[in-house]
Structure formats: C-alpha cells, structure tokens
Amino acid sequence: ESEGTVFCNCTVAEGGLIVITSQIILPDSLTCTVYPEDSNQKCQEFSFNPSGTSELNLKDSFGSLVVDACGDTEGNENTCITHGEFIYTIANSGSSNLELAVLNRTCNGAGKDLLAADTNPPNIGTVIPSGANAAVTESATIDACAGYLDKRVYIEGLGLSDGKPCFDEDRLVIDFISKAPSLVPTPAPEPCNVTLDSVCAPPQESWLPANQTDCALPPLQDLCSERPSVMVMRYNGGPCGQSDNMQPDKSGCIDFPNSDPEIISGPPTAKGTTSWIEVFAAKDPSTIYFSGFVNVSDEFELNDGSDEVEADMGVKIYEPNEANNGPGALLQDQFFHSSCSSNLFLKDRFGSVQLVAWLNGIQGFVTCFVEVVFTFGIVNQDLAGDALLKTLITLTNLGGDGKELLTVNLTDQVYNRILGGGDEIEITQSFVIDATVRRFYTAVTRLTGINEETGGRCDYTDTLSFTAGADLTPVFPTKAPTLNPTTTEFPTIDPNSEDAECSIRTKIDCSFDGKSCTALELPTITCLEELPNSVEFMYTGTSCMEDSSPALKDCTNNNAIPDGTTGVRVKVGDDKLNEPLFFDGVVSLNELFNVNTQGEQKLGIEIYSTAGVLLQELTTDTKCESDKKQFTTGDNFGALMLTGFDNTGNGGTQIVNGEETLDIIYSVSSDSRYITTLNDGSAIGRFDNQIFIDSTSTVLLQNYAEEYELGTFSLDINLFTMVNEKMRFGTNVKGYITANPSSTCNATSVINVEISG
C-alpha cells in the first residue's frame, strides 16, 4: 500500500507470484506488510521504491519478496520467468529392441525422473523397436535471471535379444547473458556415496557340514547308499539311446513308433511337450509310484507313501489322450534297479527320464540342484544426504547351465528407493546350482543411484566368486539335466583394452586311492595271520642272491638264467614237488602268475628253460608269523619276486597285490580378465591320447577361471611290473580371447610318474 491506497491484498504460498499493478505510475514508495494466513499478528514489514526514479533490478530482494518482472505504462515488460518445453529424443540405433530402464535429468543440480509412472509414455519397461525413436516432452518454467541453464540427461536400457545393457548421456548449457546455447563446462554436481556388498548363503542341506557359512560347497555324495523312500525324476524326453547309467544288466528300454512323423519313435524332446508317464513296481504293477501328465523338462516325484520303494521299477511313457484325459499310444517301455544295491547315481539316465534326487534314511534328501541365496547389502555412506537408487544388475554364470554369463536385472527391487544418510537395505536373489559339478562361479553386480540434492550420480560394482560342487568321474553320466535360463547373456567385453591378452595355464593331477602319485611305491606287506591259500609271483630272471627273503630255505643255480626273451617254464608244488603241481607253465620276464598253494607250509619251485634244462631250484616257507619277517611282498625268491598273497581261504583277512588305479585329471585355468574360447585341447601322453576340445566342441573359459576340468583318465597298473617304467602324461590346450580372436594363447603340461622301490 501507499498512503492508504491498497495495490494488493492477497494470499500467496511460498514460491507464488504477487502482481502489483496500477493504471498510473506506481508511487515512489510502497509498503509491504506480511501476516501469517491464520493470524492478524504482523510478522514482517518493509518499503521499496518501484517507480524507477531509483535503481531497481530483476532479482532484487526486499524482505521475503524477490522482483521477478516489471512493466511500464507503454506495455514494455522485463521478466526472469518464461515457460517452455524440453524434448528428449531417444533413438534406438542398435539391432535389438530396447527396453527402457532409466531416463533421468538434472537442471542446475535439481534432479527428475522422466520415466516416472505418473508421466505419459514412454515409461519404465517401454520397448523401442530397432531403428525407431521415442520422445519425452517436459514442460518447464525457466528462470533466465539465473544466468545460465545446465541440463544433463542420462539414459539406460536393456537389449531384449542379447540382454546387453546400454547407456548414453547428453548435456545442454544455455548462457542467458549471450542468449546462445553453450557447452561451457560447469562443475559436476556432488555424487552420492552408496556401497554394495554381496554375500552368498549356503542351502539348508543335510549333507553339508554344520559350520558351512558360505557357498563354497564341498563334494556331494552322488552314489545312493540305501534304498530310497522317495525318488525325483526329470523328464527329458527322447529315445532309449540316451540311457547313461551303470546298470547294464539291470535296466532296459524299448522305443515304440510316435505319431509325429518328425520324431519317428520314442517320446518327444521339445520343451513343454506333454506326455503321460506311469512308474510302478516291476514285480507288482499295481504298486504305482507316479501316474499323470508331465511336460518335457519338468520333474516328477516317485512316492507311494511306503517306507521304501521296490527293488525294480517299470516306466511307461505314453502319448497324451485328450479324449480320456489319460494315456494314449505307448512310446517307451523301460525298467531299472531302484534298491541302490546296484550302482545308482544322481543324473543316471534311463531312456527319457533322469534321476535328480532321492530320500533315504542314511543320506536324507540328496539332490543335484541346490538353492543358494545372494544378499546384496546396500549402504548410503553419505550421512548428510539422501541417495535415490536407480539400477541393480548382476552379471553371473549362476542360474543357468553354469557355463555362460547371464544378466539378472534386479532394478525393480531398488528403483527410486530413497536411502537416507547412513541407511542400508538388503536385496536377496536365489540361484540354483548343480552340486554334482565342480565349477567356478562368479557374480559381478553393479548399483547406480543419484544424489537427491545435487543430482550427481554414483556407480558401485562388487564381485563375489566361489567354487562349489564335485566332479563326476568319466563312468558317470555326462548328459546332465540343465536349468532353463531365465535371463540373458553377458555383454561382450571391449577387446581394445591394452591388457586384452590371452593367458591360460594347464595342470595335470595324478592320484591313487586318495593320495598323490608322488607317494607310489612297492607295497611291502608281511603275511601275519593264517597260511596263504594262494600267492602271486613275478618272474625277474635273477639268480639266487644274498638279499633273498628270509623265508627262502634253499636256492641253487644250476645253469645261467636266460635273458627272458624266450621265457622260462616254472613248476611249483609242495617241497617234494609231488603231483599234482600247484603251477606248471611258461612265463616271460616281469610276467605275473598266480599259484594256488592249498595252504601248504613249504613250497618247492623249479625253473627250466623252454628246452627243458633245469636252471634253478629252491624251497621256501609260506608261514605267516608275527614275530619275524617271513613272507613279505617285494622279497626275492631266486628268480621270482613275491607280489601278492591271499589267506582269506584259510580264515585270514589279507588280500595283497600290487594293483592300483591311477586317476588323472586334466584342467586349465585363465589368467585373463576376458572370456577365453578354447578351441583345441588333448592329452599327449604315452598312455592317453584322447581329444577334449576341437573346432566342433569349443569351450568358453570365464575370466580368471580356476581349474576348468578338461577331462579325466584312469589307468590300471601293477606296481611291481611298472617299477622300472616312467609313466608320462601330458596335455596341450589352445585358445583365444572370445571378443578378440587375434589374441591367441596355448599351454602345455607334462608330468612323469615313477614308482619307488
């Protein structure tokens, strides 16, 4: 007011506009009085000169008011505030359809989500086809008196065909002094400070140690040791030829014609295709364990409520009959042994069905697939500011077949969640892994967010890796059931990095009976119980020696022992060599032969040339006495060496021989930060020349992968016959960086196994 004339008497909220107008020039002095809306008590009063006779500028402040605009009597106006529109155009230039996940903008530090649910499309989840555009229009009030406008926009999306995330950002700066757009840099807004920590919790399984706290799961006992009460099968579909088990004499399978001309015979294999399955006791078909429709790739339970299943099961697979809502034409008829008295392993295949779990009294519930739970702990480390979470994406080989990296998008669990200073939240995600396969797992998780006050972005990545499961040996089924991926592949890593170098290492492990092959030595076992009912000798061709066995009573060299190339004739009987003899045959150098001694305490032995010339004769005790070294493997008896004995036929408990099985494991590791394709790999030793990898069966080796198993080999040997042999095992592997095939590498390993004695 001025001198009693009231120019404005109005109610206004903070940020609102007050218009002071007059038909004539405003007076030199105006007084403004401010009251609370619900009170007559004055809270502020001030005066100012709006007439132009003294300097007055836009953005001048007087008490709680700021000058935003002014006009003269001739209609000329000056104003800070104008209204306009900003158009954000999104162009999908890729070959895949694009699903929008994030579109944020900041304006002079103030942030806004342009894909909020209350706006017009596009929104979160909107799909932009390849080659198409989409636009977001934002109405805006622009304050030109601020001097400049700095707009930044950030977009994030996901390719639907390949699952690869993509990002882009743009910036517009307008200088209101020069009235021209500018790209003059301004200080970046203060980012948020949010951290991420990934933890994996093990499943609650009876076979795990009580103190198991992480997901580095120990080996799983995959051999069924007691007859189950419940079994779980997976329906893979397909013909009998895919059977893979260790019951050659206790299982069988027959295929019948299929009405589908493309299948010809046997059950279908297309995922989701339905069949009718019946499982019953083979000796009593009235005992039904399962009967019903099952889709290919689904699991079904065998359970009739009894304490244990019958020893043998029959399985029939039928086409579905819609008319009777039951079985149609028979597609496959099979049987297998289910008592666990004959080898039964997880993943055993019987025609179109596969064993994936069982329940029994000794082992509890044992299954191929176990669920692990990832917990992602998110903490706002900025105690003074709020963080607005935007995306959470995990790149991992969990959740699929364990060989390919997949993208798991968890953004819907964090999007636009506000995390106050010092606050934290936890996001969980379950993954299923195959516990019967030893594999290196990794999960790389990326979190993004925005500083609520400044609009600055934050970006945090966390990696968690572990090895879990146990390898199956070569005789076990290798056609493992796989889980159907629900996500997509890992994005290709940039091959142009200066350290995009291919680097692999090979390794060969040799073991026997749970011990390293470096511990191989001739067994020196003394018979300490009953007389042996059989003994095993090896012909060495040596003469009677001073270091012969103390059990050797007499030894006479009658003629020179031949070099072994023509062999010798050996006779073994009682000490008088009375008929019938215990052994009479021709043996060669280092050849083993077994003698049934019939519990005789003394043996007579004569060695002849093949022409009948007596070369050596000897007698020996076969007593088993604990107070002296008598009958011991590795001891020499003239031209013979004792390599084994068996006294179980006379009431003893000892069966001794030099037989061992060497288990060889070939593996390869990666030292590269990029995924490597292995395109050539084979064993190159004297005893094993198998091919693990070729151009038709390449393997993707994850970055920094630990000991990917190429293959295994078992070699049965006799320690006595191989004592002077050097057993060599080798492997050679070649590969290249998947994203950059010109970066190649190869690695070779060789080990020599020798027996000390």
Side-chain angles (χ1 to χ4, degrees), residues 716-755:
D716 294 327
I717 66 170
N718 187 285
L719 298 174
F720 292 97
T721 61
M722 298 293 290
V723 68
N724 294 317
E725 292 278 348
K726 179 178 289 187
M727 295 171 282
R728 171 171 291 187
F729 302 92
T731 184
N732 179 259
V733 180
K734 299 179 182 179
Y736 58 88
I737 295 297
T738 305
N740 184 15
S742 64
S743 178
T744 61
C745 52
N746 67 80
T748 301
S749 291
V750 175
I751 64 169
N752 293 311
V753 178
E754 297 179 275
I755 303 166

Side-chain angles (χ1 to χ4, degrees), residues 88-94 98 100-105 114 152-158 164-171 446 457 459:
Y88 307 91
T89 302
I90 308 163
N92 181 4
S93 58
L98 175 71
L100 290 181
V102 175
L103 184 63
N104 295 323
R105 72 99 173 112
L114 297 175
R152 302 166 188 247
V153 62
Y154 171 77
I155 185 172
E156 185 171 326
L158 193 69
K164 298 178 181 178
C166 53
F167 317 93
D168 195 19
E169 55 188 348
D170 196 16
R171 182 183 182 190
R446 180 189 182 201
R457 295 179 56 234
D459 194 324

Side-chain angles (χ1 to χ4, degrees), residues 21-26 50-51 69-78:
T21 184
S22 173
Q23 298 298 320
I24 59 174
I25 296 174
L26 290 171
S51 68
C70 63
D72 59 24
T73 55
E74 297 179 359
N76 298 313
E77 286 190 6
N78 287 318

Side-chain angles (χ1 to χ4, degrees), residues 99-104 113 115 123-125 154-158 163 165-167 196 376 378 388-395 407-418 425 427-429 445-449 487:
E99 179 181 337
L100 290 181
V102 175
L103 184 63
N104 295 323
D113 175 14
L115 297 183
N123 304 117
I124 295 176
Y154 171 77
I155 185 172
E156 185 171 326
L158 193 69
C166 53
F167 317 93
L196 172 69
F376 303 100
I378 303 171
L388 184 65
L389 303 182
K390 286 301 178 182
T391 64
L392 182 65
I393 298 176
T394 295
L395 308 173
T407 301
V408 181
N409 196 335
L410 304 173
T411 296
D412 60 341
Q413 299 189 51
V414 300
Y415 183 73
N416 274 357
R417 292 186 67 168
I418 297 177
I425 61 172
I427 305 298
T428 59
Q429 175 69 28
T445 307
R446 180 189 182 201
L447 171 73
T448 64
T487 49

Side-chain angles (χ1 to χ4, degrees), residues 397-614:
N397 62 336
L398 289 152
D401 61 7
K403 297 180 180 179
E404 296 183 355
L405 285 169
L406 312 172
T407 301
V408 181
N409 196 335
L410 304 173
T411 296
D412 60 341
Q413 299 189 51
V414 300
Y415 183 73
N416 274 357
R417 292 186 67 168
I418 297 177
L419 216 56
D423 289 350
E424 59 182 284
I425 61 172
E426 290 185 346
I427 305 298
T428 59
Q429 175 69 28
S430 297
F431 296 99
V432 175
I433 65 176
D434 187 345
T436 61
V437 178
R438 192 74 172 166
R439 181 165 285 132
F440 177 76
Y441 294 98
T442 186
V444 180
T445 307
R446 180 189 182 201
L447 171 73
T448 64
I450 295 175
N451 186 317
E452 271 278 89
E453 181 178 352
T454 66
R457 295 179 56 234
C458 51
D459 194 324
Y460 195 95
T461 300
D462 185 56
T463 301
L464 177 63
S465 301
F466 59 90
T467 301
D471 288 319
L472 300 179
T473 58
V475 295
F476 296 162
T478 55
K479 301 173 183 177
T482 58
L483 301 177
N484 297 300
T486 57
T487 49
T488 48
E489 294 182 357
F490 187 68
T492 302
I493 300 175
D494 180 10
N496 297 319
S497 173
E498 62 183 11
D499 58 347
E501 182 178 347
C502 184
S503 178
I504 57 177
R505 290 175 288 111
T506 51
K507 179 182 177 183
I508 305 174
D509 290 313
C510 177
S511 64
F512 71 102
D513 196 25
K515 295 172 288 188
S516 170
C517 290
T518 57
L520 282 172
E521 58 183 3
L522 292 182
T524 54
I525 309 298
T526 300
C527 182
L528 299 176
E529 301 172 348
E530 303 297 328
L531 286 168
N533 47 281
S534 69
V535 297
E536 182 185 74
F537 288 110
M538 179 176 71
Y539 173 62
T540 62
T542 57
S543 61
C544 299
M545 300 180 295
E546 293 182 357
D547 61 345
S548 296
S549 169
L552 183 63
K553 297 303 181 183
D554 299 295
C555 184
T556 303
N557 294 317
N558 295 299
N559 286 284
I561 300 291
D563 61 9
T565 56
T566 58
V568 294
R569 181 180 181 183
V570 179
K571 295 182 178 181
V572 184
D574 60 19
D575 59 340
K576 304 298 185 183
L577 286 173
N578 293 316
E579 296 288 339
L581 297 175
F582 302 149
F583 178 86
D584 186 359
V586 176
V587 296
S588 300
L589 187 66
N590 295 329
E591 182 179 349
L592 301 171
F593 62 98
N594 194 270
V595 179
N596 184 355
T597 61
Q598 303 179 20
E600 188 67 34
Q601 292 190 17
K602 291 185 178 181
L603 297 179
I605 302 173
E606 291 181 346
I607 300 175
Y608 296 81
S609 70
T610 54
V613 177
L614 181 62

